[in-house]
Amino acid sequence: AQIVFNAAMRKKLSYCISCGSGTNLQAGHFYPVSTHEGLRFDEDNVWPECCRCNCFNEGHLISYAENLPDVIGKERFEALKARAAEYKRNGKKWSRSEIEEIIEKYS
């Protein structure tokens, strides 16, 4: 599921949401999976990021946070923040049927 989802997310923009680079794009999570498992497959949470920003630039989230509301709108950004708070409090365990739906949707 992660492979097909990430492949789809890398195609949403032709550039890195954090720095604008158009090379070596990966699926960058605004809220990290390590603390927000429920947002792993959230389309508003995952956008193309270059390898440098996604893996090596600790400050990338500053520009990600500045640019994301412009891309998805302030209302969706606020809703994403609310979902992040909810999942951080309550966690998330993906069911087999949810994973299968994700694979089907993004394949």
Side-chain angles (χ1 to χ4, degrees), residues 39-91:
L39 297 176
R40 175 185 294 271
F41 301 113
D42 187 307
E43 289 188 18
D44 285 341
N45 188 52
V46 185
W47 291 86
E49 274 197 301
C50 68
C51 180
R52 186 178 143 275
C53 286
N54 195 32
C55 299
F56 304 108
N57 182 358
E58 293 178 10
H60 76 105
L61 286 178
I62 295 169
S63 54
Y64 203 146
E66 292 170 351
N67 296 332
L68 188 55
D70 293 336
V71 175
I72 66 174
K74 291 181 182 181
E75 191 172 303
R76 281 174 52 193
F77 184 66
E78 292 302 317
L80 175 63
K81 290 189 332 188
R83 289 193 303 278
E86 176 68 23
Y87 284 128
K88 188 153 186 171
R89 271 193 309 277
N90 299 319

Side-chain angles (χ1 to χ4, degrees), residues 13-41:
L13 297 172
S14 61
Y15 57 90
C16 172
I17 193 166
S18 297
C19 75
S21 169
T23 59
N24 297 320
L25 296 178
Q26 301 177 348
H29 291 73
F30 182 67
Y31 289 100
V33 174
S34 61
T35 56
H36 296 82
E37 175 61 38
L39 297 176
R40 175 185 294 271
F41 301 113

